[in-house]
């Protein structure tokens, strides 16, 4: 991988740093020996310039709005594939043939039954509990019931099992929690149903219109992986300590919850509702977003990596129009969102900072059309992201380069001082 090298001149010494090149031409300075050979560490707030690993799962080019899973463009996968097929692709590296897909579906079906104790746990949470907190807790609790998957040295077939189990169970947990929060009885998974169809059947008691299930498949495919984002890096970091997969995935759910990450889809709808309640004018909110003395941000706008457009947002916007037309829904929030987008994209503040709608800007409107309650939007994101987290966890465990994640710091506190007795303190 080494194409060239860079030189670092420091304190009279010259240090050679290899330059690595990825398969899509991305270049990186290899600083693995930096501290050992120069005594220096690097400081990189928010990891804006730091690659934490090598990975063969997802390629993302933020300047050109490119997203590919295992080499396949997201646009093609969203149009032609299903979520389960994409999950297989992410985890195992290739699109499944007929036999492999059958094998994967059977694996998922093997693990659809949820232990009564875990169902009871979900039913014991207050009805008002946020579904992300419930999901993270129940995932964590799985470690209590499946000790066979806690060993850091899982065999390949155990890895296959725990991946299928987690995908089957998170779907149940999300639907069960919704039913419990409504005071309704829980509906178990039905093996003969397609994954997204079954999820909606478990939520609402009957199979959805195939177009609705297709829309959900598209949404989950678009969310399925996004390389080393906040939640995925969390999964890898927790997993790097050899904590079990439930602990790692549960941590990913918690990281996703924040409004700067997956929680943005809930925040977008709440923002659009606020604009609607205020009379529907965008200008005031755009001014607020630009005001440095105001904490308000245009939710669903901006991205750490995409600086041109988010390809997922483009697909979602079209899917949003299609599903609302199909369901004959006229949602004024969609008009507000489109107007806000148009206004913001003309504004020099957003243009100069390259702030565009991200995946979360329109996804909430589709979830709303599918009757998914607002506080469950981020759970839908988690359901979609799950195969990505699992694929990244598996890749990390299989890589000989993996080490426990342990960043350095630049200490800025007091230098050494002596303990002061209470009566001498000011
Ligand atoms: N509204 C108004 N201003 C914004 C916004 C926004 N949504 N996003 C960024 N900016 C401004 C910042 O104030 C900053 O301005 P400055 O240079 O004058 O200080 C500049 O744009 C750069 O922003 P940063 O916060 O430094 O960019 P960063 O890469 O750290 O953050 C993030 C990216 C968190 C996504 C940010 O754009 C944001 O908060 N967006 C809104 C929340 C959101 O939609 N999150 C979902 C992201 S997609 C996902 O995780 C699935």
């Amino acid at each position: 991988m080494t194409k060239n090298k860079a030189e670092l001149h420091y304190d009279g010494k010259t240090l050679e740093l290899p330059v690595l090149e990825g398969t899509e031409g991305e270049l990186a300075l290899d600083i693995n020996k930096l501290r050992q050979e120069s005594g220096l560490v690097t400081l990189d707030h928010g990891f804006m310039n730091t690659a934490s690993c090598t990975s063969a799962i997802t390629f993302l080019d933020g300047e050109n709005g490119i997203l590919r899973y295992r080499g396949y463009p997201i646009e093609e996968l969203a149009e032609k594939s299903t979520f389960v097929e994409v999950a297989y692709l992410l985890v195992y590296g290739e699109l499944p043939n007929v036999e492999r897909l059958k094998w994967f579906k059977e694996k998922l079906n093997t693990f659809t039954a949820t232990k009564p104790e875990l169902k009871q746990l979900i039913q014991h949470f207050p009805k008002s509990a946020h579904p992300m907190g419930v999901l993270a807790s129940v995932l964590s609790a799985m470690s209590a019931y499946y000790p066979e998957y806690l060993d850091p040295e899982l065999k390949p077939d155990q890895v296959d099992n725990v991946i299928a189990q987690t995908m089957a169970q998170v779907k149940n947990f999300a639907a069960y929690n919704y039913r419990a929060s409504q005071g309704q009885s829980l509906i178990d998974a039905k093996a003969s149903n397609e994954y997204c169809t079954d999820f909606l059947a478990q939520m609402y008691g009957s199979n959805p219109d195939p177009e609705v299930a297709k829309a959900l498949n598209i949404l989950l495919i678009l969310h399925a992986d996004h390389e080393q984002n906040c939640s995925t890096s969390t999964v890898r970091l927790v997993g790097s300590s050899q904590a079990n997969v439930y602990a790692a995935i549960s941590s990913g759910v918690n990281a996703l919850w924040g409004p700067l990450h997956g929680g943005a889809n809930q925040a977008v709808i709440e923002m659009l509702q606020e604009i609607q309640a205020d009379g529907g004018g965008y200008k005031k909110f755009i001014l607020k977003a630009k005001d440095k003395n105001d904490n308000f941000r245009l939710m669903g706008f901006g991205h750490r990596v995409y600086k041109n457009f988010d390809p997922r947002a483009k697909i979602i916007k079209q899917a949003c129009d299609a599903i609302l037309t199909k369901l004959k829904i006229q949602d004024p929030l969609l008009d507000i969102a489109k107007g806000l987008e148009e206004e913001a994209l003309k504004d020099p503040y957003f243009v100069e900072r390259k702030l565009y709608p991200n995946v979360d800007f329109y996804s909430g409107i589709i979830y709303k059309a599918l009757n998914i309650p607002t506080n469950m939007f981020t759970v839908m994101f988690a359901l979609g992201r799950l195969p990505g987290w699992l694929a990244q966890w598996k890749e990390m465990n299989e890589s000989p380069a993996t080490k426990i994640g342990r960043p350095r710091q630049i200490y800025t506190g007091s230098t050494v001082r002596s303990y002061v007795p209470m009566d001498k303190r000011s």
Side-chain angles (χ1 to χ4, degrees):
M1 262 175 102
T2 305
K3 186 182 173 189
N4 221 322
K5 55 183 186 287
E7 284 184 351
L8 175 71
H9 301 276
Y10 175 72
D11 203 18
K13 281 185 266 175
T14 299
L15 182 66
E16 281 190 355
L17 299 171
V19 175
L20 306 182
E21 186 177 2
T23 50
E24 289 283 354
E26 275 181 317
L27 299 174
L29 268 187
D30 177 349
I31 58 163
N32 273 297
K33 298 219 168 108
L34 181 68
R35 187 167 179 277
Q36 188 187 324
E37 294 187 3
S38 71
L40 295 170
V41 296
T42 56
L43 175 63
D44 186 15
H45 289 295
F47 307 119
M48 308 260 298
N49 309 284
T50 297
S52 58
C53 61
T54 56
S55 176
I57 300 173
T58 291
F59 173 67
L60 202 170
D61 174 349
E63 304 303 325
N64 295 306
I66 293 172
L67 175 62
R68 295 184 202 132
Y69 299 159
R70 303 281 190 184
Y72 296 101
I74 191 68
E75 293 80 5
E76 274 190 65
L77 292 170
E79 189 191 334
K80 299 175 185 162
S81 192
T82 63
F83 176 59
V84 167
E85 191 182 42
V86 166
Y88 181 98
L89 171 70
L90 287 168
V91 172
Y92 296 106
E94 297 295 336
L95 283 170
N97 59 19
V98 174
E99 270 165 37
R100 291 302 291 169
L101 189 58
K102 185 164 169 276
W103 169 85
F104 191 50
K105 285 181 177 171
E106 281 170 6
K107 258 288 166 236
L108 289 172
N109 287 337
T110 312
F111 293 102
T112 47
T114 294
K115 289 204 185 275
E117 296 88 334
L118 289 170
K119 287 184 176 176
Q120 283 160 12
L121 178 61
I122 291 172
Q123 288 169 309
H124 271 97
F125 281 99
K127 289 191 171 48
S128 59
H130 196 285
M132 284 297 274
V134 175
L135 179 59
S137 306
V138 184
L139 264 164
S140 210
M142 281 182 81
S143 63
Y145 298 96
Y146 297 99
E148 64 271 34
Y149 296 126
L150 306 189
D151 189 338
E153 305 284 326
L154 291 180
K155 296 188 183 71
D157 64 317
Q158 288 178 303
V159 171
D160 292 342
N161 288 347
V162 83
I163 285 175
Q165 180 206 47
T166 309
M167 276 193 63
Q169 290 299 309
V170 166
K171 166 173 154 288
N172 286 354
F173 297 159
Y176 289 162
N177 179 50
Y178 168 70
R179 301 281 300 181
S181 73
Q182 304 294 304
Q184 294 169 334
S185 59
L186 311 188
I187 301 175
D188 289 333
K190 199 167 157 194
S192 56
N193 265 343
E194 179 271 331
Y195 190 90
C196 292
T197 301
D198 199 43
F199 170 73
L200 293 168
Q202 287 183 273
M203 291 276 291
Y204 305 119
S206 61
N207 278 13
D209 183 318
E211 298 265 355
V212 168
K214 168 82 185 146
L216 184 57
N217 263 285
I218 293 176
L219 279 172
L220 298 194
I221 289 170
L222 296 179
H223 285 99
D225 196 48
H226 214 233
E227 49 115 305
Q228 309 312 317
N229 54 79
C230 175
S231 55
T232 304
S233 300
T234 301
V235 169
R236 279 187 179 257
L237 191 62
V238 174
S240 78
S241 75
Q242 300 191 346
N244 60 78
V245 65
Y246 309 120
I249 300 294
S250 166
S251 305
V253 169
N254 279 320
L256 186 73
W257 193 355
L260 297 190
H261 191 15
N265 54 15
Q266 175 175 342
V268 168
I269 287 291
E270 287 164 357
M271 174 186 78
L272 295 175
Q273 284 166 339
E274 195 187 335
I275 297 175
Q276 185 184 34
D278 194 63
Y282 326 113
K283 289 222 158 61
K284 173 174 155 190
F285 292 87
I286 289 192
L287 282 175
K288 268 167 78 66
K290 293 179 348 180
D291 182 355
K292 292 292 168 203
N293 297 316
D294 191 326
N295 284 336
F296 178 81
R297 284 191 160 199
L298 271 198
M299 299 313 286
F301 258 76
H303 198 276
R304 169 61 61 81
V305 184
Y306 293 120
K307 298 298 173 199
N308 192 340
F309 65 93
D310 180 338
R312 303 167 302 171
K314 262 193 171 177
I315 302 170
I316 283 195
K317 193 176 176 185
Q318 283 166 4
C320 192
D321 277 330
I323 195 70
L324 263 62
T325 308
K326 160 77 195 161
L327 299 177
K328 298 192 175 60
I329 294 175
Q330 279 203 317
D331 190 340
L333 293 190
L334 179 61
D335 297 330
I336 293 178
K338 284 183 174 170
L340 186 63
E341 177 187 355
E342 204 181 310
E343 199 74 30
L345 294 184
K346 281 191 299 203
D347 192 299
Y349 174 95
F350 292 90
V351 176
E352 280 157 20
R353 288 170 181 75
K354 301 189 174 189
L355 301 171
Y356 295 88
N358 58 48
V359 68
D360 289 323
F361 195 64
Y362 286 101
S363 63
I365 297 175
I366 308 189
Y367 288 135
K368 196 164 161 270
L370 305 188
N371 270 331
I372 310 260
T374 312
N375 71 353
M376 257 191 88
F377 289 179
T378 314
V379 167
M380 301 307 297
F381 192 150
L383 188 62
R385 183 55 54 86
L386 187 57
W389 288 333
L390 291 164
Q392 301 268 354
W393 170 80
K394 179 172 180 283
E395 184 184 65
M396 180 202 66
N397 282 331
E398 290 170 353
S399 166
T402 297
K403 292 174 94 63
I404 185 169
R406 204 299 184 190
R408 293 276 172 171
Q409 65 164 15
I410 309 294
Y411 176 69
T412 57
S414 295
T415 52
V416 67
R417 46 188 174 163
S418 293
Y419 182 80
V420 182
M422 187 64 82
D423 59 353
K424 299 265 171 23
R425 291 179 209 165
S426 52

